[in-house]
Structure formats: structure tokens, C-alpha cells
Amino acid sequence: MDYFETFSPVARIDTIRTVLALAAQKRWKVYQFDVKSAFLNGELEEEEKMISKFEMTDLGILHYFLVNTPMNANEKFLQDDGVVRTDPKEFRSLVGGLIYITHSRPDIMFPVSLLSRFMQNPSKNHFGATKRVIRYIHGTLKFGIRYHHVNDFKLVSYTDSDWASCVDDRKSTSGFALTLGSGMGTFCMYSLTS
């Protein structure tokens, strides 16, 4: 089998953000285009309909319940929280869609990473928290990453840890973010550590 005929390299989002930051700094023109051959000449169809897919179609009600943060600051989730279980397939689909959105909305990276820990056996509490993230996104559609020329173009990193906040196993969640010039190069990669 000739793997080189069907191989299609895909750029990492970190690389794309770094190139955009560099282009903004150097004042280069940037053009976007899609290459259908990257998907083996298949039909490209966008799907971003999460609100209707997960029965949040009443935008009046959704607008009424908009939130300013993607997650409650002091909320702790348990694997076995004693709450009625929900459909894991639907929950995985919702979290998977949110993971995709983190490419353009890195401000939701922490809650999405946290909620992805419960994909095997989610409860209604976990499902409600994911819907809160959708309500946050709906109320902040104009948010994004802005790249522009700056005088002090340098790489800066930030890191943080919450020190044993996981209620199930007392592990810590740590994360980091890198900025390059005006925009983020890598956003908030979270992981459990012991």
C-alpha cells in the first residue's frame, strides 16, 4: 500500500496561531483557502449547529440564561456524584464539539478539559455543565483571538496549578499558556498530575 498518495499533513492549531502572530507582527497579508484533496476529494460540509442538536433551540430562553463565565468558579465534579446518569453517546458528542470549538475559543479550554474526564459515565450534573459552556459561547460570539503589531514582540509564558482539587483522586490540575506578541501561541493546556 502506498501511504504517500493518501497522506495529507494537517497543521497543528498551535502552529497556525504562531504563524498568525508572526504575520501580524511583520504586517504580512494572510489568505485562507480550503484544499479538498486534504479530505480525499470528499464533500466538505460544515456542521457548528450545537444549539439545535442538543435541544437548546429556544434562543429567547437561551438568551435569558446567558452566563458570563463558562463554569462556576468553585464548582467541583465527582465521577460518582449520585445524580441520575445521562446518555454517554450524546455527552461525548457535545464535549467533542466543544473540544473542536476550543481551537477558536481557547477561553473554554479549562471547563471542556475538566468535563471530558466524565465521558464514560456522565451524570445530569456533567451534562448541565456542558450546556452552561454552550450558553457562555452563545453570549460571547464576538470573542476571539486578536493579533496585531506590538512594539515588544516576545514569547511570554504563564503557568498555574490548583493543587489537589480533583475530588475523586486528589490530583492537581495544571495548565500553561504562551503568548507571542499580541496573540496566544498555545492556549491553556490542562492535565492531571499527581
Side-chain angles (χ1 to χ4, degrees), residues 138-156:
H138 182 71
T140 57
L141 290 175
K142 295 186 179 180
F143 283 19
I145 304 171
R146 182 169 185 256
Y147 297 97
H148 55 88
H149 178 83
V150 295
N151 292 330
D152 192 18
F153 187 72
K154 62 183 177 182
L155 181 66
V156 178

Side-chain angles (χ1 to χ4, degrees), residues 3 39 50-51 53 104 106 116 123 130 135 145 166 186 190:
Y3 291 101
F39 298 95
M50 292 182 70
I51 290 173
K53 184 176 180 180
S104 60
S116 68
S123 73
T130 56
R135 291 197 320 266
I145 304 171
C166 184
T186 302
Y190 292 94

